[in-house]
Amino acid sequence: MNTTSFANTVALLGRSLRHVLRSPDTVITTAITPIAMLLLFVYVFGGAIHTGGSYVDYLLPGILLITIASGVAYTALRVFTDVSSGIAERIQSMPVGRSAMLWAHVLTSLVANAISVVLVVLVAIAMGFRSGAGLGAWLAVTGILVLFTLALTWLAVIPGLTAKSVDGASAFSYPLIFLPFVSSAFVPTSGMPGPVRWFAEHQPVTSIVNTIRHLYAEQPVGHDVWIALAWCSGLLLLAVVLATRTYRSRLT
């Protein structure tokens, strides 16, 4: 990204962030559902689920991924609004880098999701979540969550560009929110039936959740961290390529 494109991205980022600040309910709404799930599973189902330790400690990593999956739906909605209203074409008629608008929406997603994640973590701490992890482990968790957010956000850009309606733009996030339920996010995979267990152990959420959980618990992350990074990096690369091509074809 050259200096001009960077300046364009910063200007469009300011515009997008102002929209978020004017509608803080989007951030609050993103955090409310995961917080409600956190309360429900810890205080209603937690006593019946045995994980060998504090259930809120076990549950939090999966809830953080659900928070991000919920948040990126608003990215798809914001991209759809810009494209359907003609703003994207107007921006492209100006001396602005082609990718500036997309990067502005992606960076806005990072900021908005970071706020939602912090809110969820604060609630979890109030509910008893504790971690003796050092600064390095917390930075590692942050890096994984940022990479996961980038991957899902670029994925969200695609339906934002191609959807025919508002509902279609945001509906893609529903499978992403459901995916953690068939993983190690809520219960250990050891108690699942054979085919379900195989799927749970080989889908991306389980390796990401396990990595974050082990980092918080100051335990060796093993090979899960490399699987998690491979999933996130591969999905990010694929999503960037597809979103960029879709954007160019949509505006030509």
Side-chain angles (χ1 to χ4, degrees):
M1 185 182 292
N2 57 40
T3 304
T4 302
S5 296
F6 178 77
N8 295 154
T9 301
V10 170
L12 292 174
L13 173 62
R15 164 186 171 269
S16 189
L17 287 175
R18 283 193 295 273
H19 289 172
V20 173
L21 291 175
R22 290 169 186 166
S23 302
D25 55 300
T26 58
V27 176
I28 295 171
T29 302
T30 299
I32 282 178
T33 299
I35 289 173
M37 293 175 63
L38 190 65
L39 293 168
L40 175 66
F41 275 87
V42 171
Y43 292 130
V44 177
F45 303 130
I49 300 175
H50 303 289
T51 59
S54 168
Y55 187 55
V56 67
D57 292 353
Y58 184 91
L59 183 64
L60 180 61
I63 294 296
L64 295 180
L65 299 194
I66 290 176
T67 304
I68 294 169
S70 301
V72 298
Y74 287 103
T75 298
L77 180 60
R78 285 190 287 265
V79 172
F80 172 80
T81 300
D82 278 358
V83 172
S84 61
S85 64
I87 292 176
E89 286 83 355
R90 193 177 310 165
I91 291 174
Q92 286 303 302
S93 68
M94 303 176 183
V96 176
R98 276 185 173 272
S99 62
M101 190 192 82
L102 297 185
W103 272 108
H105 283 297
V106 169
L107 294 176
T108 299
S109 174
L110 275 179
V111 174
N113 278 293
I115 295 172
S116 298
V117 165
V118 169
L119 290 175
V120 172
V121 171
L122 290 176
V123 171
I125 290 174
M127 294 172 62
F129 169 74
R130 296 294 180 267
S131 172
L135 179 60
W138 279 94
L139 290 176
V141 170
T142 301
I144 292 171
L145 292 178
V146 167
L147 188 60
F148 182 73
T149 304
L150 284 172
L152 290 197
T153 300
W154 275 105
L155 190 63
V157 168
I158 300 171
L161 293 169
T162 59
K164 303 300 182 183
S165 66
V166 173
D167 292 336
S170 57
F172 92 101
S173 66
Y174 299 152
L176 300 179
I177 296 172
F178 174 76
L179 202 57
F181 287 92
V182 193
S183 73
S184 64
F186 292 88
V187 295
T189 58
S190 57
M192 299 178 181
V196 177
R197 178 179 178 179
W198 183 92
F199 176 80
E201 291 179 347
H202 292 86
Q203 60 121 317
V205 170
T206 291
S207 58
I208 298 170
V209 163
N210 288 346
T211 299
I212 295 174
R213 188 177 291 137
H214 290 152
L215 286 169
Y216 278 147
E218 301 178 283
Q219 297 175 352
V221 294
H223 64 278
D224 278 322
V225 63
W226 302 114
I227 298 174
L229 291 175
W231 271 111
C232 290
S233 300
L235 179 59
L236 174 58
L237 179 61
L238 179 63
V240 169
V241 172
L242 292 178
T244 303
R245 288 182 178 178
T246 303
Y247 182 58
R248 288 175 179 173
S249 64
R250 178 67 189 264
L251 297 181
T252 53

